Protein backbone atom coordinates (compact mmCIF):
# COMPACT_ATOMS: atom_id res chain seq x y z
CA UNK A 1 0.00 0.00 0.00
CA UNK A 2 1.24 3.51 -0.75
CA UNK A 3 2.32 4.75 2.64
CA UNK A 4 1.47 8.39 1.97
CA UNK A 5 -2.16 7.62 1.09
CA UNK A 6 -4.84 8.33 3.64
CA UNK A 7 -7.26 5.41 4.05
CA UNK A 8 -10.81 5.69 5.35
CA UNK A 9 -13.24 2.87 6.00
CA UNK A 10 -16.61 2.96 4.29
CA UNK A 11 -18.45 -0.20 5.20
CA UNK A 12 -16.80 -3.32 3.81
CA UNK A 13 -15.09 -1.43 0.99
CA UNK A 14 -11.83 0.43 1.66
CA UNK A 15 -11.57 3.94 0.24
CA UNK A 16 -8.13 5.42 -0.46
CA UNK A 17 -7.24 9.04 -1.05
CA UNK A 18 -4.25 9.64 -3.31
CA UNK A 19 -2.87 13.12 -3.91
CA UNK A 20 -0.83 14.16 -6.94
CA UNK A 21 2.30 14.64 -4.82
CA UNK A 22 2.01 11.25 -3.15
CA UNK A 23 1.30 9.60 -6.49
CA UNK A 24 4.30 11.24 -8.17
CA UNK A 25 6.67 9.93 -5.51
CA UNK A 26 5.16 6.43 -5.61
CA UNK A 27 5.34 6.31 -9.41
CA UNK A 28 9.03 7.16 -9.26
CA UNK A 29 9.66 4.33 -6.81
CA UNK A 30 7.70 1.83 -8.91
CA UNK A 31 9.57 2.88 -12.05
CA UNK A 32 12.86 2.49 -10.20
CA UNK A 33 11.93 -1.01 -9.07
CA UNK A 34 11.01 -2.05 -12.61
CA UNK A 35 14.25 -0.64 -14.02
CA UNK A 36 16.30 -2.48 -11.38
CA UNK A 37 14.42 -5.67 -12.29
CA UNK A 38 15.61 -5.30 -15.88
CA UNK A 39 12.44 -4.00 -17.53
CA UNK A 40 12.96 -1.49 -20.31
CA UNK A 41 11.04 0.33 -23.02
CA UNK A 42 8.47 -1.93 -24.67
CA UNK A 43 8.71 -4.68 -22.06
CA UNK A 44 5.54 -5.78 -20.32
CA UNK A 45 4.53 -6.16 -16.69
CA UNK A 46 1.30 -8.05 -15.97
CA UNK A 47 -1.04 -7.06 -13.13
CA UNK A 48 -4.04 -9.10 -11.98
CA UNK A 49 -5.25 -7.40 -8.79
CA UNK A 50 -8.18 -5.37 -7.44
CA UNK A 51 -8.07 -1.58 -7.65
CA UNK A 52 -5.83 0.30 -5.23
CA UNK A 53 -3.62 3.36 -5.07
CA UNK A 54 -0.57 1.07 -5.16
CA UNK A 55 -1.76 -0.55 -8.38
CA UNK A 56 -2.53 2.81 -10.00
CA UNK A 57 0.91 4.21 -9.12
CA UNK A 58 2.67 1.08 -10.35
CA UNK A 59 0.79 1.24 -13.66
CA UNK A 60 1.54 4.94 -14.18
CA UNK A 61 5.16 4.56 -13.12
CA UNK A 62 5.57 1.82 -15.69
CA UNK A 63 3.84 3.76 -18.46
CA UNK A 64 5.88 6.92 -17.95
CA UNK A 65 9.09 4.95 -18.55
CA UNK A 66 7.76 3.07 -21.58
CA UNK A 67 7.08 -0.22 -19.79
CA UNK A 68 3.62 -1.42 -20.82
CA UNK A 69 1.32 -2.78 -18.11
CA UNK A 70 -0.92 -5.70 -19.03
CA UNK A 71 -4.05 -5.22 -16.91
CA UNK A 72 -6.07 -8.41 -16.38
CA UNK A 73 -9.48 -8.86 -14.81
CA UNK A 74 -8.87 -9.57 -11.14
CA UNK A 75 -11.76 -12.05 -10.97
CA UNK A 76 -10.29 -14.45 -13.55
CA UNK A 77 -9.69 -18.02 -12.43
CA UNK A 78 -6.06 -19.13 -12.36
CA UNK A 79 -6.23 -21.03 -15.65
CA UNK A 80 -7.88 -18.09 -17.43
CA UNK A 81 -5.31 -15.67 -16.04
CA UNK A 82 -2.31 -17.88 -16.73
CA UNK A 83 -3.33 -18.35 -20.38
CA UNK A 84 -3.31 -14.57 -20.94
CA UNK A 85 -0.04 -14.12 -19.06
CA UNK A 86 1.61 -16.74 -21.24
CA UNK A 87 0.38 -14.95 -24.34
CA UNK A 88 1.60 -11.50 -23.21
CA UNK A 89 5.06 -12.79 -22.22
CA UNK A 90 5.67 -10.19 -19.52
CA UNK A 91 9.06 -9.87 -17.82
CA UNK A 92 7.32 -9.46 -14.45
CA UNK A 93 3.99 -10.80 -13.14
CA UNK A 94 2.22 -9.17 -10.20
CA UNK A 95 -0.73 -11.17 -8.87
CA UNK A 96 -0.37 -10.71 -5.10
CA UNK A 97 -0.29 -7.78 -2.71
CA UNK A 98 3.22 -8.58 -1.45
CA UNK A 99 4.75 -8.29 -4.93
CA UNK A 100 2.80 -5.10 -5.58
CA UNK A 101 4.05 -3.64 -2.30
CA UNK A 102 7.63 -4.45 -3.32
CA UNK A 103 7.32 -2.05 -6.25
CA UNK A 104 6.91 0.76 -3.72
CA UNK A 105 10.39 0.01 -2.32
CA UNK A 106 12.31 0.88 -5.49
CA UNK A 107 14.92 3.62 -5.67
CA UNK A 108 13.09 6.64 -7.16
CA UNK A 109 13.89 7.66 -10.72
CA UNK A 110 13.04 10.83 -12.59
CA UNK A 111 9.99 10.39 -14.79
CA UNK A 112 8.97 11.84 -18.16
CA UNK A 113 5.98 14.16 -17.93
CA UNK A 114 3.47 11.91 -19.70
CA UNK A 115 2.72 8.19 -20.06
CA UNK A 116 4.49 6.75 -23.11
CA UNK A 117 1.77 4.28 -24.00
CA UNK A 118 -1.55 2.70 -23.09
CA UNK A 119 -1.94 -0.39 -20.94
CA UNK A 120 -2.58 -3.57 -22.89
CA UNK A 121 -6.04 -4.99 -22.27
CA UNK A 122 -7.39 -8.27 -23.58
CA UNK A 123 -10.53 -8.46 -25.65
CA UNK A 124 -12.14 -11.40 -27.40
CA UNK A 125 -14.46 -11.86 -30.35
CA UNK A 126 -16.21 -14.35 -32.60
CA UNK A 127 -13.56 -16.99 -32.03
CA UNK A 128 -13.65 -16.69 -28.25
CA UNK A 129 -9.86 -16.42 -28.27
CA UNK A 130 -8.73 -13.37 -26.30
CA UNK A 131 -6.23 -11.02 -27.94
CA UNK A 132 -4.33 -8.12 -26.46
CA UNK A 133 -4.88 -4.62 -27.80
CA UNK A 134 -1.38 -3.25 -28.30
CA UNK A 135 -0.63 0.43 -28.98
CA UNK A 136 3.15 0.26 -28.77
CA UNK A 137 5.37 2.92 -27.20
CA UNK A 138 4.97 6.64 -28.00
CA UNK A 139 7.70 9.21 -28.47
CA UNK A 140 7.60 12.40 -26.39
CA UNK A 141 5.42 14.29 -28.87
CA UNK A 142 2.84 11.52 -29.26
CA UNK A 143 2.76 11.01 -25.49
CA UNK A 144 1.92 14.68 -24.92
CA UNK A 145 -0.74 14.59 -27.64
CA UNK A 146 -2.35 11.43 -26.28
CA UNK A 147 -2.46 12.79 -22.74
CA UNK A 148 -4.02 16.09 -23.84
CA UNK A 149 -6.58 14.21 -25.96
CA UNK A 150 -8.12 12.80 -22.78
CA UNK A 151 -7.30 15.41 -20.14
CA UNK A 152 -8.42 18.37 -22.26
CA UNK A 153 -11.69 16.75 -23.29
CA UNK A 154 -12.74 16.45 -19.64
CA UNK A 155 -10.88 19.58 -18.45
CA UNK A 156 -9.05 17.81 -15.62
CA UNK A 157 -7.23 20.22 -13.33
CA UNK A 158 -5.56 20.67 -9.92
CA UNK A 159 -8.85 21.37 -8.16
CA UNK A 160 -10.40 18.07 -9.24
CA UNK A 161 -11.04 15.14 -6.94
CA UNK A 162 -11.80 12.11 -9.08
CA UNK A 163 -13.74 9.16 -7.65
CA UNK A 164 -12.48 5.89 -9.18
CA UNK A 165 -15.44 3.50 -9.13
CA UNK A 166 -14.67 1.08 -11.96
CA UNK A 167 -11.99 -1.64 -11.74
CA UNK A 168 -8.59 -0.63 -13.06
CA UNK A 169 -8.65 -3.41 -15.62
CA UNK A 170 -11.21 -1.16 -17.38
CA UNK A 171 -9.26 1.22 -19.59
CA UNK A 172 -11.28 4.29 -18.60
CA UNK A 173 -10.29 4.03 -14.92
CA UNK A 174 -6.59 4.54 -15.57
CA UNK A 175 -7.22 7.21 -18.23
CA UNK A 176 -9.37 9.37 -15.97
CA UNK A 177 -7.19 8.85 -12.89
CA UNK A 178 -4.00 9.65 -14.81
CA UNK A 179 -5.54 12.79 -16.26
CA UNK A 180 -6.49 13.97 -12.79
CA UNK A 181 -3.24 13.15 -10.99
CA UNK A 182 -0.90 14.43 -13.71
CA UNK A 183 -2.84 17.70 -13.79
CA UNK A 184 -2.28 18.07 -10.03
CA UNK A 185 -5.60 16.70 -8.77
CA UNK A 186 -6.54 14.03 -6.23
CA UNK A 187 -8.11 10.58 -6.59
CA UNK A 188 -10.50 8.75 -4.27
CA UNK A 189 -10.20 5.05 -5.03
CA UNK A 190 -12.74 2.34 -4.22
CA UNK A 191 -11.25 -1.13 -3.91
CA UNK A 192 -14.39 -2.37 -5.67
CA UNK A 193 -17.67 -0.80 -6.60
CA UNK A 194 -20.26 -0.89 -3.89
CA UNK A 195 -23.16 1.54 -4.08
CA UNK A 196 -23.12 2.35 -0.37
CA UNK A 197 -19.38 3.10 -0.43
CA UNK A 198 -19.69 5.20 -3.59
CA UNK A 199 -22.57 7.17 -2.12
CA UNK A 200 -20.62 7.80 1.07
CA UNK A 201 -17.52 8.84 -0.88
CA UNK A 202 -19.55 11.35 -2.88
CA UNK A 203 -20.56 13.05 0.35
CA UNK A 204 -17.03 13.21 1.76
CA UNK A 205 -16.58 10.05 3.83
CA UNK A 206 -12.89 9.92 2.88
CA UNK A 207 -12.22 13.50 3.96
CA UNK A 208 -12.43 15.00 0.46
CA UNK A 209 -15.43 15.53 -1.79
CA UNK A 210 -15.25 14.29 -5.39
CA UNK A 211 -15.80 16.66 -8.30
CA UNK A 212 -15.65 14.06 -11.09
CA UNK A 213 -16.41 10.37 -11.54
CA UNK A 214 -17.10 7.69 -14.12
CA UNK A 215 -19.65 4.88 -13.75
CA UNK A 216 -21.02 2.14 -15.95
CA UNK A 217 -24.80 2.53 -16.40
CA UNK A 218 -25.49 -0.49 -14.17
CA UNK A 219 -23.49 1.10 -11.34
CA UNK A 220 -25.16 4.45 -11.89
CA UNK A 221 -28.59 2.83 -11.69
CA UNK A 222 -27.71 1.14 -8.38
CA UNK A 223 -26.40 4.40 -6.96
CA UNK A 224 -29.48 6.34 -8.01
CA UNK A 225 -31.76 3.73 -6.47
CA UNK A 226 -29.82 3.72 -3.21
CA UNK A 227 -29.78 7.50 -2.92
CA UNK A 228 -33.42 8.07 -3.87
CA UNK A 229 -34.95 10.61 -1.51
CA UNK A 230 -31.55 11.81 -0.27
CA UNK A 231 -30.96 15.08 -2.15
CA UNK A 232 -27.55 16.66 -2.50
CA UNK A 233 -25.22 13.67 -2.99
CA UNK A 234 -24.28 14.81 -6.48
CA UNK A 235 -24.10 18.55 -5.85
CA UNK A 236 -20.29 18.63 -5.76
CA UNK A 237 -19.87 16.99 -9.16
CA UNK A 238 -18.91 19.08 -12.15
CA UNK A 239 -18.55 15.91 -14.27
CA UNK A 240 -20.33 12.56 -14.15
CA UNK A 241 -19.51 10.33 -17.14
CA UNK A 242 -21.06 7.01 -18.12
CA UNK A 243 -20.19 4.50 -20.85
CA UNK A 244 -19.47 0.82 -21.35
CA UNK A 245 -23.00 -0.33 -22.22
CA UNK A 246 -26.28 1.19 -23.41
CA UNK A 247 -27.83 3.40 -20.74
CA UNK A 248 -31.61 2.99 -20.33
CA UNK A 249 -33.30 6.31 -20.98
CA UNK A 250 -35.10 6.10 -17.62
CA UNK A 251 -31.72 5.90 -15.85
CA UNK A 252 -30.32 8.72 -17.98
CA UNK A 253 -33.25 11.02 -17.22
CA UNK A 254 -33.18 10.17 -13.51
CA UNK A 255 -29.48 11.03 -13.38
CA UNK A 256 -30.05 14.30 -15.25
CA UNK A 257 -32.56 15.29 -12.59
CA UNK A 258 -30.04 14.68 -9.80
CA UNK A 259 -27.06 16.66 -11.12
CA UNK A 260 -26.46 20.25 -12.10
CA UNK A 261 -26.79 21.38 -15.71
CA UNK A 262 -23.90 20.32 -17.93
CA UNK A 263 -22.62 17.59 -15.61
CA UNK A 264 -23.84 14.27 -17.07
CA UNK A 265 -21.80 13.20 -20.11
CA UNK A 266 -21.38 9.93 -21.92
CA UNK A 267 -19.01 8.52 -24.48
CA UNK A 268 -18.91 5.60 -26.86
CA UNK A 269 -15.69 3.64 -27.04
CA UNK A 270 -14.12 0.23 -26.78
CA UNK A 271 -10.93 -1.43 -25.60
CA UNK A 272 -9.55 -0.65 -29.04
CA UNK A 273 -10.27 3.08 -29.05
CA UNK A 274 -12.58 6.02 -28.39
CA UNK A 275 -15.24 7.14 -30.85
CA UNK A 276 -17.58 9.83 -29.50
CA UNK A 277 -18.53 12.10 -26.60
CA UNK A 278 -21.95 13.53 -25.79
CA UNK A 279 -22.78 16.44 -23.51
CA UNK A 280 -26.13 16.55 -21.67
CA UNK A 281 -27.30 19.38 -23.90
CA UNK A 282 -26.47 17.39 -27.02
CA UNK A 283 -28.25 14.32 -25.68
CA UNK A 284 -31.36 16.35 -24.85
CA UNK A 285 -31.39 17.70 -28.41
CA UNK A 286 -30.63 14.24 -29.88
CA UNK A 287 -32.15 11.70 -27.43
CA UNK A 288 -30.62 8.27 -27.72
CA UNK A 289 -27.47 9.49 -29.44
CA UNK A 290 -23.99 8.66 -28.12
CA UNK A 291 -22.71 11.98 -29.48
CA UNK A 292 -20.45 13.13 -32.26
CA UNK A 293 -16.87 12.20 -33.06
CA UNK A 294 -14.32 13.18 -30.44
CA UNK A 295 -11.72 15.80 -31.42
CA UNK A 296 -9.28 14.51 -34.03
CA UNK A 297 -11.56 11.69 -35.15
CA UNK A 298 -13.95 11.05 -38.01
CA UNK A 299 -16.92 8.68 -37.75
CA UNK A 300 -18.42 6.99 -40.81
CA UNK A 301 -21.04 4.28 -41.23
CA UNK A 302 -21.01 1.64 -43.99
CA UNK A 303 -23.99 0.82 -46.17
CA UNK A 304 -24.42 -2.27 -43.98
CA UNK A 305 -24.45 -0.12 -40.81
CA UNK A 306 -20.96 -0.92 -39.53
CA UNK A 307 -19.44 1.99 -37.58
CA UNK A 308 -15.87 3.05 -38.47
CA UNK A 309 -13.59 5.55 -36.73
CA UNK A 310 -10.53 7.32 -38.18
CA UNK A 311 -8.42 8.17 -35.08
CA UNK A 312 -5.31 10.31 -34.56
CA UNK A 313 -1.99 8.63 -35.32
CA UNK A 314 -1.21 7.99 -31.64
CA UNK A 315 -4.48 6.08 -31.24
CA UNK A 316 -3.65 3.39 -33.78
CA UNK A 317 -3.45 -0.14 -32.40
CA UNK A 318 -2.89 -3.72 -33.40
CA UNK A 319 -4.01 -7.01 -31.96
CA UNK A 320 -1.09 -8.57 -30.16
CA UNK A 321 0.75 -10.87 -32.57
CA UNK A 322 -2.31 -11.36 -34.78
CA UNK A 323 -1.78 -9.76 -38.19
CA UNK A 324 -4.96 -11.20 -39.71
CA UNK A 325 -7.22 -9.92 -36.94
CA UNK A 326 -5.50 -6.53 -37.08
CA UNK A 327 -5.94 -6.30 -40.85
CA UNK A 328 -9.65 -7.13 -40.60
CA UNK A 329 -10.18 -4.30 -38.08
CA UNK A 330 -8.57 -1.56 -40.22
CA UNK A 331 -9.51 -0.06 -43.58
CA UNK A 332 -7.96 3.05 -45.12
CA UNK A 333 -6.87 4.42 -41.75
CA UNK A 334 -10.16 3.70 -39.95
CA UNK A 335 -10.99 0.87 -37.56
CA UNK A 336 -14.15 -0.91 -36.50
CA UNK A 337 -15.11 -3.20 -33.64
CA UNK A 338 -18.14 -4.43 -35.57
CA UNK A 339 -20.82 -2.32 -33.89
CA UNK A 340 -23.79 -1.16 -35.95
CA UNK A 341 -25.20 2.34 -36.06
CA UNK A 342 -26.35 5.33 -38.08
CA UNK A 343 -25.45 9.01 -38.32
CA UNK A 344 -28.00 11.81 -38.47
CA UNK A 345 -27.64 14.93 -40.60
CA UNK A 346 -25.72 16.70 -37.81
CA UNK A 347 -23.18 13.90 -37.39
CA UNK A 348 -24.65 12.39 -34.21
CA UNK A 349 -24.19 8.63 -33.89
CA UNK A 350 -26.97 6.27 -32.84
CA UNK A 351 -26.05 2.67 -32.08
CA UNK A 352 -28.51 0.23 -33.58
CA UNK A 353 -26.92 -2.77 -31.97
CA UNK A 354 -23.68 -4.01 -30.53
CA UNK A 355 -21.94 -6.74 -32.44
CA UNK A 356 -23.76 -10.02 -31.92
CA UNK A 357 -20.72 -11.67 -30.33
CA UNK A 358 -20.85 -9.35 -27.34
CA UNK A 359 -22.81 -9.38 -24.07
CA UNK A 360 -22.28 -6.42 -21.74
CA UNK A 361 -23.06 -7.26 -18.11
CA UNK A 362 -22.37 -4.65 -15.48
CA UNK A 363 -20.22 -2.77 -17.99
CA UNK A 364 -17.95 -5.79 -18.52
CA UNK A 365 -17.69 -7.49 -21.91
CA UNK A 366 -18.57 -11.17 -22.07
CA UNK A 367 -17.92 -12.97 -25.36
CA UNK A 368 -20.42 -15.72 -26.24
CA UNK A 369 -17.86 -17.73 -28.19
CA UNK A 370 -15.63 -17.98 -25.12
CA UNK A 371 -18.56 -19.16 -22.99
CA UNK A 372 -19.62 -21.64 -25.67
CA UNK A 373 -16.11 -23.06 -26.05
CA UNK A 374 -16.00 -23.88 -22.34
CA UNK A 375 -19.56 -25.15 -21.98
CA UNK A 376 -19.33 -27.41 -25.05
CA UNK A 377 -16.84 -29.55 -23.13
CA UNK A 378 -19.71 -30.95 -21.05
CA UNK A 379 -20.95 -34.37 -22.11
CA UNK A 380 -24.52 -34.62 -23.31
CA UNK A 381 -24.48 -31.33 -25.24
CA UNK A 382 -25.15 -31.53 -28.98
CA UNK A 383 -25.05 -27.77 -29.53
CA UNK A 384 -25.41 -24.60 -27.53
CA UNK A 385 -25.45 -20.82 -27.91
CA UNK A 386 -24.61 -18.15 -25.37
CA UNK A 387 -26.57 -14.90 -25.56
CA UNK A 388 -27.68 -11.97 -23.43
CA UNK A 389 -31.10 -11.13 -22.00
CA UNK A 390 -32.08 -7.76 -20.49
CA UNK A 391 -31.41 -7.44 -16.78
CA UNK A 392 -32.63 -4.57 -14.58
CA UNK A 393 -29.52 -4.62 -12.40
CA UNK A 394 -26.69 -5.53 -14.78
CA UNK A 395 -28.03 -4.37 -18.14
CA UNK A 396 -27.69 -7.88 -19.56
CA UNK A 397 -27.26 -11.34 -18.05
CA UNK A 398 -25.45 -14.24 -19.66
CA UNK A 399 -27.74 -17.09 -20.77
CA UNK A 400 -27.23 -20.34 -22.68
CA UNK A 401 -29.60 -22.25 -24.92
CA UNK A 402 -28.74 -25.95 -25.01
CA UNK A 403 -29.65 -28.70 -27.48
CA UNK A 404 -29.18 -32.03 -25.65
CA UNK A 405 -27.35 -34.83 -27.41
CA UNK A 406 -30.02 -37.40 -28.22
CA UNK A 407 -27.38 -40.09 -28.70
CA UNK A 408 -26.35 -39.98 -25.02
CA UNK A 409 -28.37 -42.45 -22.98
CA UNK A 410 -29.47 -41.96 -19.42
CA UNK A 411 -29.10 -38.17 -19.23
CA UNK A 412 -32.03 -35.98 -18.20
CA UNK A 413 -32.25 -32.21 -18.41
CA UNK A 414 -31.80 -31.62 -14.67
CA UNK A 415 -28.61 -33.66 -14.68
CA UNK A 416 -27.39 -31.84 -17.78
CA UNK A 417 -28.09 -28.39 -16.33
CA UNK A 418 -26.35 -29.39 -13.10
CA UNK A 419 -23.30 -30.56 -15.03
CA UNK A 420 -23.21 -27.30 -17.01
CA UNK A 421 -23.43 -25.18 -13.86
CA UNK A 422 -20.69 -27.18 -12.15
CA UNK A 423 -18.42 -26.94 -15.18
CA UNK A 424 -18.95 -23.19 -15.46
CA UNK A 425 -18.07 -22.80 -11.78
CA UNK A 426 -14.81 -24.65 -12.29
CA UNK A 427 -13.74 -23.06 -15.55
CA UNK A 428 -14.95 -19.45 -15.73
CA UNK A 429 -14.86 -16.27 -13.68
CA UNK A 430 -18.19 -15.34 -12.12
CA UNK A 431 -19.06 -12.56 -14.55
CA UNK A 432 -18.84 -14.98 -17.51
CA UNK A 433 -20.93 -17.78 -16.00
CA UNK A 434 -24.42 -18.26 -17.44
CA UNK A 435 -27.17 -17.15 -15.08
CA UNK A 436 -29.93 -19.02 -16.92
CA UNK A 437 -30.08 -22.17 -19.07
CA UNK A 438 -32.76 -22.99 -21.64
CA UNK A 439 -33.30 -26.45 -23.13
CA UNK A 440 -34.28 -26.25 -26.81
CA UNK A 441 -34.80 -28.76 -29.61
CA UNK A 442 -32.79 -26.75 -32.16
CA UNK A 443 -31.02 -23.43 -32.63
CA UNK A 444 -31.63 -20.90 -35.42
CA UNK A 445 -28.89 -21.13 -38.04
CA UNK A 446 -27.88 -19.66 -41.36
CA UNK A 447 -27.99 -21.66 -44.59
CA UNK A 448 -24.40 -22.68 -43.90
CA UNK A 449 -25.21 -23.89 -40.39
CA UNK A 450 -23.81 -21.00 -38.36
CA UNK A 451 -25.82 -20.26 -35.22
CA UNK A 452 -27.61 -16.89 -35.36
CA UNK A 453 -27.16 -15.67 -31.81
CA UNK A 454 -29.30 -12.59 -32.36
CA UNK A 455 -32.32 -14.82 -33.00
CA UNK A 456 -31.88 -17.12 -30.00
CA UNK A 457 -33.53 -14.80 -27.47
CA UNK A 458 -36.61 -14.46 -29.64
CA UNK A 459 -36.70 -18.22 -30.21
CA UNK A 460 -36.77 -19.19 -26.55
CA UNK A 461 -39.85 -17.00 -25.95
CA UNK A 462 -41.55 -18.21 -22.79
CA UNK A 463 -39.50 -21.38 -22.36
CA UNK A 464 -38.79 -22.13 -18.71
CA UNK A 465 -35.34 -21.14 -17.48
CA UNK A 466 -33.11 -23.30 -15.29
Amino acid sequence: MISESRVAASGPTAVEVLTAADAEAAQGRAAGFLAAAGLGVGDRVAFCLPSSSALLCAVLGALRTGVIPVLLNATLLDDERDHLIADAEPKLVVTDIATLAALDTGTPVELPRYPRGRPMHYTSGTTGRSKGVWSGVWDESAAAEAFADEADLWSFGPDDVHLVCSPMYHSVSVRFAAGTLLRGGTCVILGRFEATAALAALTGSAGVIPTTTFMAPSALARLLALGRGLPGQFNSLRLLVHAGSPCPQAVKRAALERVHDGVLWEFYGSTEGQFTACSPGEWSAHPGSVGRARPGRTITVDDDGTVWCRPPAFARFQYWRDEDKTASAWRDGSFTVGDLGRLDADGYLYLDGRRDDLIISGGVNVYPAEVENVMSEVGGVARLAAFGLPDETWGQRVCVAVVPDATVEGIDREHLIGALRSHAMDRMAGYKRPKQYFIVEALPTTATGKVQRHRVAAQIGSLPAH
Side-chain angles (χ1 to χ4, degrees):
M1 183 174 293
I2 306 302
S3 58
E4 291 87 345
S5 296
R6 303 192 304 279
V7 180
S10 178
T13 301
V15 180
E16 294 182 274
V17 177
L18 180 65
T19 66
D22 291 346
E24 186 71 16
Q27 290 170 58
R29 293 192 294 271
F33 181 95
L34 294 173
L39 279 77
V41 174
D43 289 333
R44 292 158 304 287
V45 52
F47 295 97
C48 189
L49 289 165
S51 298
S52 67
S53 61
L55 177 58
L56 178 58
C57 291
V59 166
L60 293 181
L63 285 173
R64 290 172 70 182
T65 54
V67 175
I68 304 300
V70 181
L71 295 180
L72 304 177
N73 190 318
T75 66
L76 292 175
L77 301 185
D78 289 352
D79 286 347
E80 296 173 307
R81 178 197 67 196
D82 293 346
H83 172 75
L84 299 182
I85 289 173
D87 182 70
E89 295 187 352
K91 279 196 172 182
L92 178 66
V93 176
V94 183
T95 59
D96 61 88
I97 300 300
T99 306
L100 180 62
L103 270 69
D104 194 42
T105 65
T107 301
V109 297
E110 187 173 349
L111 297 172
R113 179 72 180 89
Y114 302 113
R116 296 189 57 194
R118 292 194 297 169
M120 186 163 82
H121 299 269
Y122 272 84
T123 185
S124 200
T126 56
T127 65
R129 186 166 57 92
S130 296
K131 297 302 296 182
V133 176
W134 173 257
S135 300
V137 179
W138 298 321
D139 61 20
E140 184 177 343
S141 175
E145 187 180 0
F147 179 80
D149 178 67
E150 193 75 33
D152 287 354
L153 177 64
W154 308 114
S155 300
F156 293 129
D159 293 330
D160 277 322
V161 177
H162 180 67
L163 175 61
V164 182
C165 288
S166 295
M168 289 179 186
Y169 49 80
H170 289 186
S171 61
V172 65
S173 299
V174 173
R175 295 201 317 269
F176 277 38
T180 302
L181 292 171
L182 297 181
R183 285 276 176 88
T186 295
C187 285
V188 177
I189 301 166
L190 298 187
R192 60 186 178 89
F193 180 80
E194 192 173 79
T196 53
L199 188 65
L202 285 170
T203 53
S205 66
V208 291
I209 298 179
T211 62
T212 68
T213 192
F214 167 88
M215 294 184 189
S218 58
L220 180 59
R222 290 158 63 191
L223 189 67
L224 291 170
L226 183 66
R228 188 179 293 121
L230 299 174
Q233 318 95 304
F234 305 106
N235 286 350
S236 68
L237 291 176
R238 70 161 187 84
L239 180 67
L240 169 56
V241 186
H242 69 81
S245 62
C247 186
Q249 290 207 14
V251 173
K252 181 91 172 187
R253 296 188 188 282
L256 284 168
E257 292 175 358
R258 300 283 289 279
V259 299
H260 295 305
D261 291 344
V263 168
L264 185 67
W265 284 65
E266 68 177 292
F267 67 82
Y268 161 56
S270 66
T271 303
E272 289 85 346
Q274 302 305 302
F275 289 70
T276 71
C278 190
S279 70
E282 289 175 307
W283 188 87
S284 295
H286 303 266
S289 168
V290 292
R292 291 195 291 187
R294 283 173 55 141
R297 292 159 178 80
T298 302
I299 303 295
T300 56
V301 176
D302 266 353
D303 290 341
D304 65 2
T306 302
V307 180
W308 293 82
C309 175
R310 179 184 292 272
F314 66 79
R316 288 190 63 87
F317 70 89
Q318 56 186 287
Y319 291 107
W320 178 248
R321 295 175 177 169
D322 194 329
E323 294 182 0
D324 291 341
K325 186 174 176 65
T326 300
S328 68
W330 288 92
R331 185 185 66 187
D332 299 328
S334 296
F335 75 92
T336 185
V337 293
D339 287 345
L340 304 177
R342 55 190 169 84
L343 291 168
D344 68 14
D346 298 317
Y348 286 88
L349 178 66
Y350 298 77
L351 293 178
D352 291 332
R354 301 282 177 159
R355 53 200 188 275
D356 68 358
D357 61 308
L358 181 62
I359 302 167
I360 306 176
S361 184
V364 180
N365 291 351
V366 180
Y367 297 89
E370 182 180 3
V371 176
E372 292 163 2
N373 288 345
V374 172
M375 304 308 289
S376 64
E377 297 168 352
V378 176
V381 173
R383 202 165 194 182
L384 54 79
F387 61 98
L389 285 179
D391 188 279
E392 291 185 1
T393 300
W394 302 108
Q396 288 183 297
R397 61 182 177 274
V398 182
C399 302
V400 169
V402 183
V403 180
D405 187 346
T407 67
V408 177
E409 297 182 1
I411 185 168
D412 58 49
R413 69 174 54 194
E414 293 302 326
H415 175 83
L416 179 58
I417 296 300
L420 289 165
R421 289 189 186 279
S422 178
H423 192 68
M425 184 75 69
D426 291 340
R427 293 291 308 280
M428 290 187 291
Y431 72 94
K432 302 178 189 176
R433 296 171 196 155
K435 306 304 183 289
Q436 290 180 307
Y437 295 84
F438 298 85
I439 300 297
V440 298
E441 294 183 0
L443 294 170
T445 61
T446 66
T448 59
K450 181 181 178 181
V451 174
Q452 296 176 302
R453 294 194 187 100
H454 65 283
R455 292 181 53 200
V456 174
Q459 178 203 28
I460 64 173
S462 59
L463 288 175
H466 299 267

